[in-house]
Amino acid sequence: MNLRLPSGDVRVCWQPADLPSSRCIGLWLPAILLLALTLAGCGGSASRSYGYADNPPADPTALVAWREWTRFGRSTVVYGGHAGGYVNRAGVSEHSEPLSSRVGDYWGSCGHPEWNGNTRGRPWSGAFVSWVMRQSGAGSFPVAGRHGQYLAALYDREFRGRSTAFLLHAPDEYSPKPGDLVCDGTAGPSWRHASPAMAHRRIDNTARHCDVVTDVRGGYIQAVGGNVKSSVTMSLYPIDRRGRLAPTPGKLWMLVVENRAT
């Protein structure tokens, strides 16, 4: 959109009662600067500082997820209203080619290349996370089509001291960063103080969904997940002053996976 600003100067004269008009002080209206910035947002450099013109993240895992989000048309859900230029918007459906076949690539990382975006009854959000981890170089990640399956495997590794590449935290213990996973589940963080066997079962059986964190700023976590609104979608979740997940409508936060592998 090309807009041309008027070339003439716009000034305001402020004149105290005891001064002649010839000595009025010319002041630029601050509104002129605000107007220029607003108009520049239609296509100028100002739009690059927030919202949908963000630069790709530096973290390898976050970058892979961010690129898939862009591939699917940048579907976005904002929890809590308007956030830094992001608003609710739809993306491209999993049922449309070539993206339906792209979902098949996600499933292929879990050993099911025959499934794709048009396969009924096969939620693919877990396969998406597994694919992202492998593509970003986290070869030690236990790929699985279910979130509970790979999360329980990560828990077992950590508990037995076999790996520190991924660490599980309760939502109020740790501030997520790009590349981490934020996960919700029907039992919340009740696994945290359970016995190892019980913790494994609760994680495996009650985990519902995980997203890959791509950025943290403006009071929100930006996190990308698959099979959300039939697409790859970025969700913006509010955080508290410590940077930890805040209560979110429709979410019962279960855990955060700290990614040290990438």
Side-chain angles (χ1 to χ4, degrees):
M1 176 170 64
N2 295 320
L3 296 177
R4 185 183 301 275
L5 291 173
S7 58
D9 291 346
V10 179
R11 298 177 181 271
V12 171
C13 280
W14 173 78
Q15 181 178 341
D18 58 344
L19 291 180
S21 61
S22 61
R23 295 184 60 188
C24 90
I25 302 173
L27 298 175
W28 287 101
L29 277 173
I32 293 298
L33 177 59
L34 178 61
L35 174 62
L37 291 175
T38 302
L39 293 175
C42 295
S45 60
S47 65
R48 291 195 293 269
S49 64
Y50 63 88
Y52 296 103
D54 286 337
N55 292 325
D59 177 84
T61 302
L63 177 60
V64 172
W66 186 91
R67 284 174 172 168
E68 293 304 293
W69 170 62
T70 298
R71 181 189 297 270
F72 274 76
R74 298 190 169 192
S75 169
T76 306
V77 176
V78 180
Y79 288 84
H82 182 85
Y86 288 89
V87 295
N88 293 336
R89 60 179 289 177
V92 181
S93 171
E94 63 190 359
H95 304 299
S96 303
E97 287 292 1
L99 299 181
S100 178
S101 295
R102 189 64 167 178
V103 175
D105 294 339
Y106 306 153
W107 275 120
S109 69
C110 302
H112 293 285
E114 72 276 13
W115 297 342
N116 57 45
N118 287 310
T119 304
R120 293 182 178 274
R122 300 294 180 183
W124 48 273
S125 56
F128 173 79
V129 170
S130 296
W131 182 89
V132 167
M133 288 296 178
R134 285 298 174 92
Q135 291 294 312
S136 65
S140 63
F141 189 84
V143 296
R146 288 193 308 108
H147 298 288
Q149 185 177 347
Y150 68 69
L151 290 173
L154 291 175
Y155 172 82
D156 290 343
R157 289 182 185 180
E158 181 182 350
F159 175 74
R160 295 168 184 169
R162 295 180 179 178
S163 175
T164 57
F166 298 94
L167 301 179
L168 275 60
H169 304 277
D172 62 348
E173 296 174 340
Y174 174 78
S175 302
K177 68 182 189 311
D180 293 345
L181 301 178
V182 291
C183 308
D184 72 305
T186 57
S190 61
W191 63 274
R192 192 69 180 95
H193 302 292
S195 67
M198 180 61 73
H200 174 101
R201 286 196 297 271
R202 287 183 180 174
I203 292 172
D204 189 20
N205 295 332
T206 67
R208 187 166 56 181
H209 181 79
C210 294
D211 294 312
V212 180
V213 178
T214 56
D215 202 353
V216 182
R217 59 189 167 87
Y220 286 85
I221 286 174
Q222 301 178 6
V224 172
N227 199 37
V228 179
K229 292 191 173 296
S230 300
S231 188
V232 172
T233 295
M234 175 183 287
S235 298
L236 274 70
Y237 301 122
I239 53 178
D240 62 21
R241 293 181 179 179
R242 301 177 298 171
R244 307 199 176 159
L245 288 163
T248 304
K251 293 284 183 178
L252 184 57
W253 293 117
M254 179 181 191
L255 56 82
V256 179
V257 180
E258 179 184 358
N259 179 4
R260 296 183 173 183
T262 62

